[in-house]
Amino acid sequence: MFGQIGTNTLFGSATTTMQSYNPMKDIEVTSPPDDTISSLAFSPGSLAATYLTAGSWDNNVRCWEVQQNGTVIPKAMQTHAGPVLDVTWSDDGSKIFTGSADKTAKMWDLASNQHIQVAQHDGPVKTVHWVKGTNYSCLMTGSWDKTLRFWDTRQPNPMMTMQLPERVYCADVVYPMAVVGTSNRGIIIYQLENQPTEFKRMESPLKYQHRCVSIFVDRKTATVSPQPIGFALGSIEGRVAIQYVSPQNPKDNFTFKCHRSNGTSNAGGPQDIFPVNCIAFHPVHGTLSTVGSDGRFSFWDKDARTKLKTSEQLDLPITSCGFNAQGNIFAYASGYDWSKGHEAFDPQKMKPHIMLRSCFEELKQSQKKT
């Protein structure tokens, strides 16, 4: 059902009853987590098969195999002593790294099925990223203890520790660049060549707290040798900033509103404004997806500054999303985000779900002239 890339597919036309948690009739991942999903990550293109991993607030990280006919097979699960806040893969697809509120990061070796601690912080580990450099490889962990640490996974102590002004809220890595978003609207950009060094500090272009960041690459070199040139930053105020590290024109940087409903700001009526929970760039087209607590996903072309698609509304917030390496599968997770407190939580009705959607055609660049 995922079909050949670039062809129209039957994916998503599976006969499911119209349910509010899956209004787009996308394929459901079997055996989803028991609590809200914090992070989704597909295996790298170096593997022949496609795997999806998810970290969740039930302290577990799960892995599924996703077949091209749409079959999803649960493979394995590992556990932390606290909620799993982030997951990422090694570049060769042999290992999954997990960061947790238990103040550790662990390495899951898929061949041996061993899940061992490889990093320690003094606060919850909010972000984990694998750095594959030309002369070194390491795990980068960001924590609420106001440090960014780089680990050789064979050594008990970090290779390097960066002191930060505030807690880490979000981060992304596309070698040779890393972007870290901290509380109090701080952003720090690092260059990773030879060894990690701070490149630039800036204040967020958004007025409210940021929740997610995703690096984008130069479209001209995207499929050959991806060169990171900027990042998209999402905030709790239904807004995304597109920010170039070295803009050729200051007007290249802009922000746009998203994940808002009821009334338009132009009419002066009240608007419901929701957090942007995750941003992912398409690996082939360079377009992007955003997901929000309004229960919708949207696809965008930042260069044409246009929206490509918005989903129907799910009955729960969408908390995470991602594309597989070939760019023909879009995964998104729905679950309660506790924005209305424990009083509003109904465990019988508010079960987490992960959906898979055929997306290659929908993410193609807009034909509009910029």
Side-chain angles (χ1 to χ4, degrees):
M1 280 182 172
F2 289 120
Q4 296 302 306
I5 294 176
T7 64
N8 289 320
T9 67
L10 299 171
F11 187 82
S13 59
T15 53
T16 55
T17 55
M18 182 67 173
Q19 284 161 321
S20 52
Y21 69 81
N22 187 13
M24 302 302 287
K25 300 191 177 72
D26 291 328
I27 284 185
E28 282 182 59
V29 169
T30 47
S31 306
D34 300 319
D35 204 343
T36 304
I37 294 116
S38 58
S39 178
L40 292 172
F42 276 105
S43 54
S46 51
L47 293 184
T50 298
Y51 297 93
L52 175 67
T53 186
S56 54
W57 282 79
D58 63 3
N59 299 6
N60 295 321
V61 55
R62 291 167 172 80
C63 185
W64 299 262
E65 182 180 351
V66 181
Q67 299 181 337
Q68 286 298 314
N69 64 2
T71 305
V72 184
I73 305 165
K75 299 301 276 188
M77 183 174 83
Q78 293 288 359
T79 302
H80 269 271
V84 178
L85 303 180
D86 201 12
V87 295
T88 193
W89 289 76
S90 63
D91 60 291
D92 63 1
S94 67
K95 298 172 185 69
I96 293 169
F97 298 97
T98 52
S100 169
D102 67 9
K103 306 179 185 176
T104 72
K106 289 186 174 184
M107 178 174 74
W108 182 3
D109 185 304
L110 297 175
S112 65
N113 203 29
Q114 297 290 307
H115 194 220
I116 58 167
Q117 182 180 329
V118 291
Q120 177 75 47
H121 279 267
D122 299 323
V125 179
K126 182 65 173 68
T127 65
V128 289
H129 290 86
W130 182 248
V131 177
K132 172 65 174 163
T134 47
N135 61 335
Y136 73 99
S137 297
C138 69
L139 180 69
M140 182 183 97
T141 56
S143 170
W144 292 349
D145 68 6
K146 304 184 184 179
T147 66
L148 188 69
R149 295 181 182 175
F150 298 83
W151 306 82
D152 177 333
T153 56
R154 301 161 296 188
Q155 305 293 332
N157 295 317
M159 298 160 41
M160 185 179 287
T161 298
M162 306 275 202
Q163 297 296 327
L164 303 174
E166 265 296 349
R167 291 156 294 166
V168 174
Y169 278 179
C170 55
D172 196 19
V173 170
V174 175
Y175 187 83
M177 176 169 136
V179 178
V180 176
T182 68
S183 62
N184 284 351
R185 300 174 48 248
I187 293 170
I188 308 173
I189 302 166
Y190 296 90
Q191 77 81 28
L192 303 174
E193 220 153 359
N194 298 321
Q195 68 169 29
T197 54
E198 187 176 312
F199 174 74
K200 185 179 184 181
R201 287 193 186 200
M202 57 184 286
E203 189 177 76
S204 168
L206 303 171
K207 291 182 187 146
Y208 292 84
Q209 175 187 307
H210 39 241
R211 182 162 282 191
C212 52
V213 66
S214 185
I215 292 173
F216 58 83
V217 299
D218 187 342
R219 247 184 200 172
K220 299 183 196 72
T221 63
T223 49
V224 190
S225 160
Q227 290 302 313
I229 55 171
F231 56 90
L233 190 69
S235 82
I236 60 169
E237 190 240 350
R239 201 182 287 266
V240 168
I242 301 293
Q243 196 77 19
Y244 288 82
V245 175
S246 304
Q248 293 174 329
N249 181 337
K251 291 182 179 171
D252 290 346
N253 295 333
F254 66 99
T255 68
F256 62 90
K257 297 173 187 171
C258 50
H259 302 289
R260 299 175 174 215
S261 61
N262 294 338
T264 59
S265 51
N266 299 342
Q271 259 193 322
D272 293 334
I273 298 175
F274 298 89
V276 182
N277 291 326
C278 190
I279 300 171
F281 279 90
H282 193 274
V284 179
H285 302 316
T287 49
L288 67 146
S289 65
T290 61
V291 300
S293 289
D294 58 341
R296 297 180 194 272
F297 63 80
S298 293
F299 299 152
W300 311 83
D301 183 334
K302 68 173 173 50
D303 298 320
R305 301 195 183 187
T306 189
K307 186 192 288 183
L308 302 171
K309 182 185 186 71
T310 294
S311 73
E312 300 290 323
Q313 188 167 22
L314 281 67
D315 60 358
L316 286 172
I318 303 181
T319 54
S320 187
C321 70
F323 295 103
N324 70 328
Q326 293 73 33
N328 64 329
I329 309 171
F330 175 64
Y332 59 101
S334 65
Y336 185 48
D337 64 355
W338 299 94
S339 57
K340 296 188 172 110
H342 68 89
E343 304 88 355
F345 180 55
D346 182 340
Q348 298 320 116
K349 292 181 182 171
M350 295 182 166
K351 293 191 186 304
H353 294 280
I354 303 173
M355 313 296 178
L356 302 177
R357 179 176 186 81
S358 179
C359 67
F360 195 84
E361 296 297 320
E362 292 179 337
L363 270 294
K364 279 190 170 169
Q365 294 156 31
S366 168
Q367 299 309 306
K368 289 181 185 174
K369 298 286 182 225
T370 53

